[in-house]
Amino acid sequence: MLYAAELHEQLTETAWDARHVRDAIRVLAAEADSAYETDALWPAHEWDAWQAALPLKNLYAGAAGVAWALAALRRRGLVETALDPAGVARRALDACRREPDFTGGEALPGQKRSSLFCGETGPLVVAWLLAPTAELEDDLFALVSANLGNEANELMWGVPGTLLVARAMLERTDGERWRAAVRESSAALASARDADGLWTQLLYGDTGRILGPIHGFVGNVVALGDTVRDEKGAGICHGTAGNGYAFLKTFARTGDELWLERARAFAVHALEQAERLPGRYSLFTGGVGVALFAADCLEARSAFPIVDTLD
């Protein structure tokens, strides 16, 4: 048995309609706008906020990720957010520096501050992308450099995450120091492989083989170069939208329209989930991530947010 049927729900029978999807994307962005408060940022879902310092600021489930998503949707002409994503990103970064939202009671890597998804690197790279300054770039380079010896050799906490940042910065600045950062980060990640060419993950105090794109060696391979890659919810990390990206990837590789149709069916289902579930304001577990997946289905675009693209 590949899955337990009782843990899954039937796919919606609602047909794909581009106009309806565009409307639903705008609704999710408007909900994010209305839920935002200058000092409190966004309310955190109980699961995302478990033992963390509030408000959440990080890229994975906090304000930095929402700011990045809203800016991306606006740049693609799909929403007109009332917020200033660059200003939101800067506030998230400043708040992160005052009080990082690391999960309490967990055994985290020593260099957790450099984590792309849960540390300062995420809010910092979003702040630079939306309003670049030399000071932010210098701070970002320092975090990437400090992460080279991180024992957590996976995407969320370790070198693979900051390698993605180094590659993105090299594309945007063509700076020699970023070229060196890409080279050194790639070497550090490659040298951490076991004799069989895979990685043993060292995170949360546990050791083991993990296959996933965020905590596992799939994410490590993506970071190194081009490759194939209760209700859990609609989000792109472990929800319907995230599963749907597999169909978009398959469509991109095969050109078979059947896979795009399947992705779009998942997008409609994810949008309905996001509509009926309580609001969740997070890039990887919330509504704006679903909106990005739906947008990618509109444009038949397969780039997974952050992992494949920072645009």
Side-chain angles (χ1 to χ4, degrees):
M1 181 185 295
L2 294 178
Y3 71 98
E6 67 274 13
L7 299 180
H8 297 261
E9 60 183 63
Q10 289 293 319
L11 196 64
T12 181
E13 295 183 1
T14 305
W16 170 269
D17 178 85
R19 179 178 298 179
H20 169 73
V21 169
R22 289 179 185 275
D23 289 343
I25 291 171
R26 285 192 289 269
V27 167
L28 288 172
E31 288 178 354
D33 279 2
S34 63
Y36 177 79
E37 295 182 14
T38 302
D39 294 326
L41 303 176
W42 277 281
H45 186 276
E46 180 181 6
W47 187 90
D48 296 329
W50 185 70
Q51 295 192 37
L54 300 179
L56 294 180
K57 289 80 66 176
N58 63 54
L59 180 59
Y60 177 77
V66 181
W68 181 85
L70 290 174
L73 290 167
R74 184 176 65 181
R75 187 170 57 250
R76 293 162 70 172
L78 293 167
V79 306
E80 288 293 338
T81 175
L83 301 176
D84 170 24
V88 173
R90 185 67 211 211
R91 282 190 286 277
L93 173 60
D94 292 342
C96 176
R97 286 172 166 172
R98 290 193 299 271
E99 187 177 22
D101 36 339
F102 300 126
T103 300
E106 294 283 358
L108 300 178
Q111 188 45 30
K112 57 185 180 292
R113 181 175 168 233
S114 288
S115 166
L116 172 60
F117 287 101
C118 297
E120 187 179 322
T121 296
L124 186 51
V125 73
V126 173
W128 185 90
L129 288 167
L130 301 186
T133 68
E135 180 183 3
L136 290 175
E137 183 182 347
D138 289 345
D139 292 346
L140 193 55
F141 181 77
L143 282 177
V144 171
S145 299
N147 210 39
L148 290 173
N150 196 324
E151 62 182 351
N153 52 2
E154 43 79 68
L155 196 60
M156 178 166 276
W157 293 98
V159 176
T162 46
L163 172 54
L164 292 179
V165 172
R167 289 171 58 190
M169 293 301 293
L170 177 59
E171 291 173 0
R172 289 162 174 79
T173 66
D174 197 30
E176 182 55 39
R177 64 176 176 174
W178 289 111
R179 195 178 312 280
V182 169
R183 184 170 59 250
E184 292 168 6
S185 297
S186 299
L189 179 55
S191 67
R193 286 183 294 187
D194 297 333
D196 59 5
L198 303 180
W199 288 268
T200 296
Q201 272 64 53
L202 303 171
L203 69 161
Y204 303 132
D206 298 322
T207 300
R209 290 296 176 83
I210 304 172
L211 306 183
I214 301 300
H215 284 305
F217 72 75
V218 174
N220 294 0
V221 175
V222 171
L224 279 173
D226 293 338
T227 186
V228 180
R229 1 202 196 243
D230 157 60
E231 182 176 332
K232 283 301 249 181
I236 63 173
C237 182
H238 43 250
T240 305
N243 294 341
Y245 269 107
F247 297 140
L248 286 178
K249 289 289 187 185
T250 306
F251 169 67
R253 289 196 165 259
T254 66
D256 187 339
E257 293 281 340
L258 175 63
W259 296 106
L260 180 58
E261 292 173 10
R262 288 171 171 167
R264 286 174 168 173
F266 268 51
V268 174
H269 192 90
L271 288 168
E272 290 184 356
Q273 285 179 300
E275 180 181 0
R276 73 171 180 263
L277 294 172
R280 195 163 180 172
Y281 308 102
S282 150
L283 170 56
F284 277 84
T285 64
V288 293
V290 175
L292 282 170
F293 171 59
D296 286 342
C297 287
L298 281 168
E299 301 168 4
R301 167 176 160 161
S302 65
F304 194 93
I306 306 299
V307 178
D308 284 330
T309 179
L310 285 170
D311 293 328

